[in-house]
Short mmCIF file of all heavy atoms in Angstrom, two decimals:
data_model
loop_
_atom_site.label_atom_id
_atom_site.label_comp_id
_atom_site.label_asym_id
_atom_site.label_seq_id
_atom_site.Cartn_x
_atom_site.Cartn_y
_atom_site.Cartn_z
N LEU A 149 47.21 83.89 31.89
CA LEU A 149 46.42 82.66 31.89
C LEU A 149 45.30 82.67 30.86
O LEU A 149 44.38 81.86 30.93
CB LEU A 149 45.83 82.39 33.28
CG LEU A 149 46.83 82.12 34.40
CD1 LEU A 149 46.13 82.09 35.74
CD2 LEU A 149 47.56 80.82 34.16
N GLY A 150 45.33 83.64 29.95
CA GLY A 150 44.24 83.77 29.00
C GLY A 150 42.96 84.25 29.67
O GLY A 150 41.90 84.25 29.07
N GLN A 151 43.06 84.70 30.93
CA GLN A 151 41.89 85.10 31.71
C GLN A 151 41.73 86.62 31.79
O GLN A 151 40.62 87.11 31.91
CB GLN A 151 41.99 84.56 33.15
CG GLN A 151 42.02 83.06 33.24
CD GLN A 151 40.70 82.45 32.84
OE1 GLN A 151 39.64 82.90 33.26
NE2 GLN A 151 40.75 81.44 32.00
N LEU A 152 42.83 87.32 31.80
CA LEU A 152 42.79 88.77 31.97
C LEU A 152 42.93 89.48 30.63
O LEU A 152 43.52 88.95 29.69
CB LEU A 152 43.89 89.22 32.93
CG LEU A 152 43.84 88.62 34.33
CD1 LEU A 152 45.03 89.10 35.14
CD2 LEU A 152 42.54 88.98 35.03
N LYS A 153 42.42 90.68 30.59
CA LYS A 153 42.57 91.51 29.40
C LYS A 153 44.05 91.69 29.11
O LYS A 153 44.86 91.85 30.02
CB LYS A 153 41.90 92.87 29.67
CG LYS A 153 41.95 93.81 28.51
CD LYS A 153 41.29 95.13 28.85
CE LYS A 153 41.51 96.12 27.74
NZ LYS A 153 41.05 97.45 28.10
N ALA A 154 44.39 91.65 27.84
CA ALA A 154 45.80 91.76 27.45
C ALA A 154 46.38 93.08 27.94
O ALA A 154 45.80 94.14 27.77
CB ALA A 154 45.93 91.65 25.94
N ASP A 155 47.55 92.99 28.56
CA ASP A 155 48.25 94.14 29.11
C ASP A 155 49.40 94.47 28.17
O ASP A 155 50.23 93.63 27.86
CB ASP A 155 48.77 93.80 30.50
CG ASP A 155 49.37 94.99 31.23
OD1 ASP A 155 49.59 96.04 30.59
OD2 ASP A 155 49.63 94.86 32.43
N ARG A 156 49.46 95.71 27.71
CA ARG A 156 50.52 96.13 26.78
C ARG A 156 51.68 96.81 27.51
O ARG A 156 52.62 97.26 26.89
CB ARG A 156 49.94 97.08 25.73
CG ARG A 156 49.00 96.40 24.79
CD ARG A 156 48.46 97.38 23.75
NE ARG A 156 47.49 96.73 22.92
CZ ARG A 156 46.19 96.68 23.19
NH1 ARG A 156 45.73 97.25 24.27
NH2 ARG A 156 45.37 96.06 22.38
N ASP A 157 51.59 96.91 28.81
CA ASP A 157 52.58 97.64 29.59
C ASP A 157 53.72 96.72 30.04
O ASP A 157 53.94 96.49 31.21
CB ASP A 157 51.91 98.28 30.81
CG ASP A 157 52.87 99.16 31.59
OD1 ASP A 157 53.82 99.70 31.00
OD2 ASP A 157 52.68 99.30 32.81
N TYR A 158 54.44 96.15 29.08
CA TYR A 158 55.55 95.27 29.40
C TYR A 158 56.83 95.79 28.79
O TYR A 158 56.93 95.93 27.59
CB TYR A 158 55.27 93.84 28.91
CG TYR A 158 54.33 93.11 29.81
CD1 TYR A 158 52.96 93.19 29.63
CD2 TYR A 158 54.81 92.41 30.90
CE1 TYR A 158 52.09 92.55 30.48
CE2 TYR A 158 53.96 91.76 31.75
CZ TYR A 158 52.59 91.82 31.54
OH TYR A 158 51.74 91.20 32.39
N ARG A 159 57.79 96.11 29.63
CA ARG A 159 59.11 96.53 29.17
C ARG A 159 60.00 95.35 28.87
O ARG A 159 60.87 95.43 28.02
CB ARG A 159 59.80 97.39 30.23
CG ARG A 159 59.20 98.71 30.46
CD ARG A 159 60.00 99.52 31.45
NE ARG A 159 60.89 98.70 32.23
CZ ARG A 159 61.34 99.01 33.42
NH1 ARG A 159 61.00 100.12 33.99
NH2 ARG A 159 62.16 98.23 34.07
N PRO A 160 59.82 94.23 29.58
CA PRO A 160 60.73 93.10 29.34
C PRO A 160 60.58 92.54 27.94
O PRO A 160 59.59 92.76 27.27
CB PRO A 160 60.29 92.07 30.37
CG PRO A 160 59.50 92.81 31.38
CD PRO A 160 58.89 93.97 30.66
N ARG A 161 61.58 91.80 27.54
CA ARG A 161 61.51 91.10 26.26
C ARG A 161 60.64 89.86 26.43
O ARG A 161 60.67 89.21 27.47
CB ARG A 161 62.90 90.67 25.82
CG ARG A 161 63.76 91.84 25.45
CD ARG A 161 65.07 91.36 24.92
NE ARG A 161 65.91 92.52 24.70
CZ ARG A 161 67.17 92.45 24.37
NH1 ARG A 161 67.74 91.26 24.22
NH2 ARG A 161 67.88 93.52 24.19
#
Side-chain angles (χ1 to χ4, degrees):
L149 295 171
Q151 298 292 314
L152 300 177
K153 181 180 172 188
D155 187 349
R156 292 181 184 89
D157 185 28
Y158 282 88
R159 291 184 342 205
R161 292 185 186 172

